[in-house]
């Protein structure tokens, strides 16, 4: 890789001249005192030894971030069982008891559900002499993470916020981007940015956060290096976290951290069994992954298989979080029968009544012609308002990208659906028994400021289908090319008729 | 990499038991006779030695494909100058004279512009004894290429058609996907598919094609391996051509060859000067590339720099071909001043007259609020039809993804623009002096079957801006999250007013 060629890192020997260009770490559990000594000898450590020292002691880390005004769960050092009990009285139970040092992948954490469990929790962590502290239980609804890169010039860039899902305290699934309100995402990004700015040195940092039930974002901990929560960036972002770390420590401009695919999901391959059987299970999973669209397999080739050990990971990228989640479910389905990726509808065609179907079928015909997967449903705003509510508010997370809604008369369906989803909604005014469709048209098109409906001509579901294809073409040049071809073919049709008219004259054209 | 671990290829020695799992090639200029011998000894060659034998002799290749009914430029073996002249009389001039073997990156090709130049062309290629043939000049408008993968189970998958641009016969730029009519793309894919099916063995094949002035697609040549025209797949496709080749030869299921980013452009770093100065120029280019959004740098670390030698490549991925082309232009701009990626408008706001601006400005305000780059233009369907024609037909290639068009009265602009572009067009009926906007509304919404306009309410350019954001959100979850937040904020506004009304009563609400 070109970046790696820019710096030459040779082993450092105390008896020789320092030859190391830049020293960085891939794990924070290193000897911080040695790093400090190296810095005194002129070695360029990125991030700085001071950062490693702060981060490798989780209690020191909390004190540090707390001093810098970063919101985090309440915590307290404990030196003996009495201190632990006092903390329990103050913070309540369950109570997190944590080792200050060498805590990693759930090691160094123990939960005391009651005051009686405190001594066993302390014992499980090796006793007070290893250095313990307690943390108030954070009643989180989601765990979030932000990869933050800081360059040598102090430029800072944040990757999109992801959701991390843990299994027995070990990261298991990462969803990118997290499906959270935009404001929560901004809050998480701001906290992550601030936390990294309080530390010294360049590099990539992973900031892990809690989202609490009441919408608070609290810092959990920071890792001063590329991190499991950023592995998806290899396939999904313009710049992977690994390239970004090299850019940062070397002093190159930081790369764009945004996603080049709309969504990604990362699944850690954790050891399920010791030994051979564990390898067999992992191989079976990877074998299935080979058939999943957008899945990339990373196998770390570790010599030994242990339960819960991270042996590799699989990242699936795709056009929406709904899509990649469906792909992951297909991958994990035990039978493996559903393994061939299920076709995910991209367009929802809905209508107020089955009497609209003779009109609305034309939208389906167009989508068939363009090979766009879709679903057709009857959803009435007036007669099944609860179904309509559920359909509209879940459409996005199910992977639907465009909704076509047809209705007649006091045609409320398109507008109501548009008010319940951020997706683009196309309205088809269906001509009812009176007023020649003008009622339907005005009911659909004259939406108030704030909620748009893309309205097409009365009864013209063909154009609704074509409009959906054009919208999907925003992220799909092949669809746009097919649309251009469709326009070309339409032109040919008209020209053929024009030529026939010119050849035969208008009278024989009308009476063949 | 996991795939590589599946097969263990050890060096083959004739005196020992054959230990090689699978043998594949990274270049076709190998000793085909040895490969055949290896096959006889039971070595599993993929693709087969027969394929290498056919492909490494370009004349044999043409004979083979011609026999299999694949369209290609006319050709003829030549054994002496008289034969060459007969071919010239038959095919006309300019005439391509080509070496049968060891032709690569423009080596082995010579052009005779007239009969007089034939002998010097033959001499340039080392004379008749090396084996020559001539080819009728293909008056191509574009060169295309298709990477085709064939698995051991004969499953065949084709990557999207790309356009290749050569510089002194050496591949210089690759655009993915090629901007060609969809039917031409299908034709190119079908020919590539058929060509690969006529060869034996598994692996990735690159099929190079000519697109002629009259819309014919002709085969140029095939390479039985990953190819320069597929390097973009590393960043832009679900499965890179290199992983695909391994999947194919090992016998794993083929991966999805489609693009995960809408567009990519690859630029070969060719040696501009010999030696140090050449390295300096390449380094300057790569330094600029570090600042280009979506650019990935590949440096091959070849020890020597020679003129026109492929020293590395840069791939830029992005949301449309227009965008990545603009990024490449910024990269190549000599000054380097424009190097910081220019902001590319994604939405075009157009209107028939400046009198529409007071209405249409609301669309711009919304796009500002969502940080969507846009342009604002006056384009009248009736008074500047030629400008309208140019604007609409060039919008897509300039990187515009959605068009918002406002017009009043006999409002033809949105519909005319929609008929000239495959992009989604949003129509804003502007209320003119009579008929209260109903004339504008009906002129815009009542489009004929085939050409949709996404119509919003009269004078409601706010909703047009919001609809454009929802459309762009099809490929951009962050925009969709911001749209959800916007809807949430709107709700808060209404609830605040509702609460105030309830608190104050309707009378004091109206007369504060």
């Amino acid at each position: 890789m070109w970046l790696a060629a820019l710096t030459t890192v040779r082993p450092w020997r105390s008896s020789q001249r320092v030859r190391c260009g830049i020293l960085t770490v891939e794990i924070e559990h290193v000897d911080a005192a040695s790093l400090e000594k190296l810095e005194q000898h002129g070695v360029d450590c990125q991030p700085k030894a001071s950062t490693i020292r702060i981060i490798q002691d989780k209690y020191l880390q909390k004190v540090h971030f707390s001093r810098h005004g970063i919101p985090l769960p309440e915590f307290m050092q404990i030196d003996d069982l009495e201190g632990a009990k006092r903390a329990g009285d103050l913070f309540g139970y369950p109570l997190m008891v944590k080792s200050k040092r060498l805590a990693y992948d759930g090691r160094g954490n123990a939960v005391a559900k009651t005051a009686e469990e405190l001594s066993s929790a302390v014992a499980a962590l090796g006793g007070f002499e290893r250095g313990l502290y307690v943390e108030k239980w954070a009643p989180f609804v989601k765990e979030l993470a932000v990869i933050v890169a800081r360059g040598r010039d102090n430029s800072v860039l944040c990757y999109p916020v992801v959701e991390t899902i843990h299994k027995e305290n070990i990261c298991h699934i990462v969803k990118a981007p997290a499906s959270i309100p935009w404001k929560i995402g901004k809050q998480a990004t701001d906290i992550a940015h601030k936390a990294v700015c309080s530390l010294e040195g360049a590099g990539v940092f992973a900031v892990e956060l809690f989202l609490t039930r009441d919408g608070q974002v609290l810092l959990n901990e920071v890792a001063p290096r590329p991190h499991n929560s950023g592995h998806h960036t290899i396939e999904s972002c313009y710049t992977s976290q690994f390239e970004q770390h090299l850019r940062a420590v070397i002093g190159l401009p930081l790369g764009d951290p945004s996603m080049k695919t709309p969504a990604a999901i990362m699944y850690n391959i954790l050891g399920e069994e010791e030994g051979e059987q564990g390898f067999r299970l992992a191989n079976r999973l990877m074998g299935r992954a080979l058939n999943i669209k957008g899945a990339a397999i990373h196998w770390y080739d570790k010599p030994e298989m242990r339960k819960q050990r991270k042996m590799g990971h699989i990242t699936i990228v795709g056009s929406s979080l709904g899509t990649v989640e469906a792909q992951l479910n297909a991958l994990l389905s035990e039978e493996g029968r559903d393994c061939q990726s299920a076709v995910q509808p991209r367009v929802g065609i809905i209508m107020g009544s089955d009497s609209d179907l003779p009109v609305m079928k034309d939208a389906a015909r167009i989508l068939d012609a363009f090979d766009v997967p879709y679903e057709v449903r009857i959803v009435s705003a007036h007669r099944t308002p609860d179904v309509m509510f559920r359909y509209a508010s879940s459409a996005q997370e199910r992977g639907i990208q465009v909704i076509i809604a047809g209705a007649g008369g006091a045609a409320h369906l398109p507008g109501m659906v548009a008010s319940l989803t951020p997706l683009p909604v196309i309205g088809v005014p269906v001509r009812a028994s009176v007023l020649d469709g003008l009622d339907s048209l005005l009911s659909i098109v004259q939406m108030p400021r704030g909620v748009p409906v893309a309205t097409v001509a009365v009864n013209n579901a063909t154009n609704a289908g074509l409009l959906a294809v054009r919208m999907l073409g925003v992220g799909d040049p092949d669809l746009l090319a097919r649309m251009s071809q469709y326009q070309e073919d339409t032109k040919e049709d008209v020209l053929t008729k024009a030529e026939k008219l010119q050849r035969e004259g208008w009278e024989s054209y009308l009476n063949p």
Side-chain angles (χ1 to χ4, degrees), chain A residues 307-324:
Chain A
K307 264 198 165 180
Q308 291 295 91
R309 191 179 193 192
K310 290 176 181 170
M311 304 301 295
H313 73 268
I314 295 168
T315 301
I316 306 174
V317 299
S319 58
S320 73
L321 210 50
T323 307
V324 295

Side-chain angles (χ1 to χ4, degrees), chain A residues 480-506:
Chain A
L480 278 194
R482 290 176 79 155
M483 180 54 69
S484 294
Q485 187 63 51
Y486 175 89
Q487 291 171 283
E488 203 57 38
D489 294 346
T490 314
K491 188 167 96 183
E492 288 302 320
D493 281 357
V494 174
L495 291 178
T496 307
K497 288 179 188 166
E499 200 205 347
K500 189 181 167 207
L501 174 62
Q502 196 169 348
R503 204 176 50 236
E504 301 182 358
W506 67 267

Side-chain angles (χ1 to χ4, degrees), chain A residues 215-234:
Chain A
Q216 257 196 304
V217 178
L218 303 176
L219 185 131
N220 176 15
E221 60 183 63
V222 174
R225 53 172 166 86
H227 186 258
N228 201 168
S229 64
H231 285 357
H232 72 93
T233 62
I234 299 171

Side-chain angles (χ1 to χ4, degrees), chain A residues 349-356 376-392 403-417 420:
Chain A
I349 302 178
I350 58 176
M351 59 207 81
S353 151
D354 63 346
S355 64
D356 301 324
V376 181
R377 299 276 181 278
I378 292 174
V379 177
S380 166
H382 302 130
R383 283 157 294 190
T384 61
D386 49 339
V387 174
M388 187 266 298
F389 191 93
R390 274 202 307 278
Y391 185 89
I403 295 174
I404 300 175
H412 293 182
L413 182 66
M416 284 309 301
V417 168
L420 289 160

Side-chain angles (χ1 to χ4, degrees), chain A residues 62-125:
Chain A
K62 302 249 138 122
V63 172
H64 170 88
F65 288 127
S66 163
R67 273 194 199 134
H68 281 84
I70 289 163
L72 64 175
E74 290 180 79
F75 65 98
M76 182 187 281
Q77 177 170 309
I78 52 170
D79 301 311
D80 49 33
L81 212 55
E82 269 182 34
K85 281 185 179 149
R86 274 197 306 277
D89 292 344
L90 198 62
F91 295 156
Y93 293 90
L95 187 68
M96 283 303 287
V97 188
K98 292 189 167 186
S99 296
K100 288 182 175 180
R101 304 173 63 85
L102 295 173
Y104 185 70
D105 276 354
R107 283 188 287 270
N109 286 357
V111 180
K113 285 186 199 133
T114 61
E116 286 67 43
E117 287 184 18
L118 276 175
S119 61
S120 64
V122 167
L125 296 175

Side-chain angles (χ1 to χ4, degrees), chain A residues 339-415:
Chain A
C339 187
Q340 278 290 355
S341 317
V343 174
Q344 188 75 15
R346 301 181 68 186
V347 177
I349 302 178
I350 58 176
M351 59 207 81
S353 151
D354 63 346
S355 64
D356 301 324
L357 192 52
V359 168
M360 297 304 289
K361 71 173 192 312
D362 294 340
R365 288 235 166 97
I366 289 290
L367 297 178
D368 278 333
F370 282 86
D371 296 319
V372 173
Y374 60 89
E375 62 183 24
V376 181
R377 299 276 181 278
I378 292 174
V379 177
S380 166
H382 302 130
R383 283 157 294 190
T384 61
D386 49 339
V387 174
M388 187 266 298
F389 191 93
R390 274 202 307 278
Y391 185 89
S393 31
S394 71
Q396 186 194 358
E397 68 187 43
R398 288 194 305 113
I400 297 287
Q401 296 177 286
V402 174
I403 295 174
I404 300 175
H412 293 182
L413 182 66

